[in-house]
Amino acid sequence: MQTADQKDRYVSTFEGLEKAMNGKPASPIRTLRREAIDRFAQLGFPTRRNEDWINTSVAPLTKIPFEPVRGDDPRGVTPRQVEPFTFGLACTHLVFVNGYHAPELSSHPALPDGVRAGSLAAALESDPELVLAHLARHAPYKAHAFTALNTAFIQDGAFVYLPGGATLETPVHILFISTARAHPTVSHPRTLILAEENTRGTVIESYVGIEGAYFTNAVTEIVAGENAIVDHYKLELEGPEAFHIATLQTRQGPHSNLSTHAISLGGGLVRSEVNALLAGEGCEATVNGLYHLDGKQHVDNHTLIEHAEPNCTSHELYKGILAGASSGVFRGRIHVHRKAQHTDAYQTNQNLLLSDNASVNSKPQLEIYADEVKCSHGSTTGQMDRDAVFYLQSRGLGLELAHQILIQAFAEDLIDRIRIQPVRQQLIRMVMEKLEHARQS
């Protein structure tokens, strides 16, 4: 199926959903959804002629006739299937199946007064003014086709709200599960996280799959108010046949501190955009990522950190481990606006190639329009350090064990920055299991 035909297919599906709404109460986001599908129809799917997509082709995605899954379809997911993805955490778990909230699979311990964590669809009904003040106001759907597509198909999603002064002692875990047993499916998970002034909280987003080929097209918006502290973790752990396209957009107020860590271990074709806007003076942003690939996996990481106000700091570290015939992309950009004096920003991308057939394309960038700044960036790509291997062998370790120790240390340098111990431990196990799988294949 050609790209234009597939675009028309999504537009036709949208029209069918709108027609089914006739006779029902008008959705408060109906106008937004219509504007988004019209924009998607104008943009179409990106091609390699687009500079931002020059290293990644979405042609394989456009050739598959993915079918949407209705919210009232039988889900067939059991609590036993969910349990391995909860990290053993005693916290709020919001479970979504094919983009729709599954309350029977979720757990809702008591939250502090005023804090909300639940369905976006329910929040739109109960407090539309709060939600609509931010939903689709930050992620730029008019410029990005996949963000426009997600916005057009907003039906449900996750909503986390921290009112002024609130503190979350335990994380909120948002778990998106995709299923595709009978035929390839598509879902459009949407997440909105609002942390008002003087708040503190942690949110985990996990993406997993159960069987088959499917397409996850996700958008997350995070707004951190003045003096807010937000820790965010995105874990992409999907199946080998999965397509995963995602955009994360953050906006920070004065003196806020927001950190996001993106871990990508699964998926066949993955494109992840992280856009951080430091919109308040004196705020701090941390944008980190780890991608571990084997087989023919392809993962494309695009980041943009915008320093729009003075006296802000940003830290960025992305690390890649690539085996088999996998391929990776890192394109990171730090943009310092003219008024953003006294910016302190650094960006680093490090890649470890474990086979002759693995490849990576790395392009860190700085765009600086202010005078008084401290900015740096760097990129390294190479194979195992022979001197380090020799040193470990000279201490009596075998070659395979020496390789394993060095790779684990390379990954743990980033994973150790995750503050939730059960998540750290499980991710290290998954990295080592993936290495063992690559070694045996």
Side-chain angles (χ1 to χ4, degrees):
M1 182 175 293
Q2 299 300 312
T3 299
D5 295 336
Q6 191 73 311
K7 180 190 73 173
D8 292 342
R9 181 186 183 92
Y10 283 102
V11 174
S12 177
T13 299
F14 174 87
E15 298 296 349
L17 290 173
E18 286 293 282
K19 187 176 180 180
M21 286 291 294
N22 290 339
K24 298 181 180 180
S27 168
I29 59 170
R30 198 163 186 178
T31 300
L32 169 66
R33 294 174 65 242
R34 167 57 65 183
E35 291 176 356
I37 197 64
D38 289 345
R39 187 55 181 154
F40 170 73
Q42 293 170 357
L43 293 170
F45 288 104
T47 69
R48 290 197 176 194
R49 287 175 291 182
N50 183 318
E51 176 64 23
D52 285 341
W53 292 83
I54 194 170
N55 299 115
T56 298
S57 171
V58 299
L61 183 153
T62 64
K63 293 177 181 178
I64 300 175
F66 295 102
E67 297 288 344
V69 180
R70 299 193 314 273
D72 57 353
D73 270 4
R75 297 185 174 98
V77 178
T78 66
R80 185 175 181 180
Q81 290 173 304
V82 172
E83 196 276 332
F85 304 117
T86 63
F87 304 101
L89 293 171
C91 68
T92 296
H93 295 279
L94 302 178
V95 180
F96 296 78
V97 179
N98 297 320
Y100 293 90
H101 187 218
E104 68 276 13
L105 300 175
S106 303
S107 61
H108 296 273
L111 293 170
D113 288 345
V115 174
R116 304 183 207 174
S119 162
L120 179 62
L124 275 167
E125 290 186 7
S126 63
D127 199 345
E129 289 187 7
L130 175 63
V131 175
L132 292 176
H134 295 283
L135 184 65
R137 302 287 184 180
H138 309 287
Y141 73 86
K142 293 183 179 180
H144 298 281
F146 286 104
T147 303
L149 189 63
N150 175 285
T151 304
F153 283 93
I154 293 176
Q155 297 285 328
D156 200 358
F159 179 65
V160 178
Y161 171 65
L162 280 66
T167 297
L168 275 176
E169 299 295 343
T170 58
V172 171
H173 181 207
I174 304 168
L175 175 59
F176 289 105
I177 302 176
S178 294
T179 63
R181 292 187 176 92
H183 51 76
T185 59
V186 57
S187 63
H188 304 277
R190 189 81 184 206
T191 300
L192 178 60
I193 301 168
L194 304 179
E196 292 188 346
E197 70 280 355
N198 301 308
T199 55
R200 184 176 189 127
T202 299
V203 179
I204 308 167
E205 275 186 84
S206 297
Y207 294 85
V208 302
I210 299 176
E211 297 182 22
Y214 55 87
F215 170 28
T216 302
N217 179 36
V219 173
T220 298
E221 295 172 295
I222 304 177
V223 181
E226 184 172 0
N227 293 315
I229 301 175
V230 179
D231 289 333
H232 172 258
Y233 305 102
K234 181 201 169 185
L235 312 177
E236 188 277 300
L237 311 173
E238 302 197 277
E241 298 179 74
F243 295 83
H244 182 94
I245 309 290
T247 295
L248 167 63
Q249 178 70 58
T250 69
R251 181 184 178 88
Q252 293 182 239
H255 308 291
S256 60
N257 188 316
L258 192 153
S259 65
T260 180
H261 298 72
I263 310 296
S264 185
L265 302 181
L269 173 62
V270 177
R271 162 75 174 221
S272 179
E273 291 194 20
V274 178
N275 305 312
L277 174 59
L278 284 69
E281 185 172 355
C283 57
E284 182 174 355
T286 300
V287 178
N288 290 338
L290 173 69
Y291 43 104
H292 183 193
L293 319 178
D294 61 11
K296 295 184 178 181
Q297 284 183 279
H298 177 83
V299 172
D300 183 341
N301 288 292
H302 270 58
T303 67
L304 169 61
I305 301 178
E306 283 197 83
H307 284 261
E309 296 291 336
N311 302 305
C312 294
T313 302
S314 67
H315 321 272
E316 180 174 14
L317 173 62
Y318 266 70
K319 306 189 79 169
I321 303 171
L322 298 95
S326 64
S327 55
V329 179
F330 173 80
R331 298 192 71 175
R333 181 159 59 101
I334 295 175
H335 180 191
V336 182
H337 292 234
R338 189 175 302 277
K339 68 179 295 188
Q341 302 294 339
H342 305 291
T343 287
D344 187 351
Y346 74 84
Q347 176 188 78
T348 304
N349 177 225
Q350 300 173 353
N351 297 287
L352 181 60
L353 303 181
L354 301 183
S355 77
D356 293 336
N357 294 323
S359 64
V360 68
N361 187 302
S362 179
K363 187 180 180 181
Q365 298 173 269
L366 297 176
E367 292 183 7
I368 302 173
Y369 299 97
D371 298 321
E372 299 181 29
V373 302
K374 181 182 178 182
C375 296
S376 64
H377 69 289
S379 175
T380 60
T381 298
Q383 297 179 325
M384 201 77 68
D385 186 330
R386 293 182 179 180
D387 291 339
V389 173
F390 176 77
Y391 174 82
L392 292 176
Q393 288 184 294
S394 70
R395 296 300 186 268
L397 300 182
L399 179 61
E400 185 176 315
L401 181 57
H403 283 179
Q404 178 179 318
I405 290 173
L406 291 173
I407 295 168
Q408 182 170 342
F410 183 84
E412 284 185 343
D413 175 45
L414 196 141
I415 293 177
D416 281 348
R417 301 170 195 234
I418 295 175
R419 299 177 182 179
I420 307 170
Q421 183 178 2
V423 175
R424 283 201 310 270
Q425 293 174 337
Q426 187 159 328
L427 287 175
I428 285 295
R429 285 196 297 270
M430 295 177 76
V431 166
M432 301 316 294
E433 288 171 1
K434 196 173 179 75
L435 282 172
E436 180 64 19
H437 177 268
R439 187 183 67 82
Q440 294 178 355
S441 60

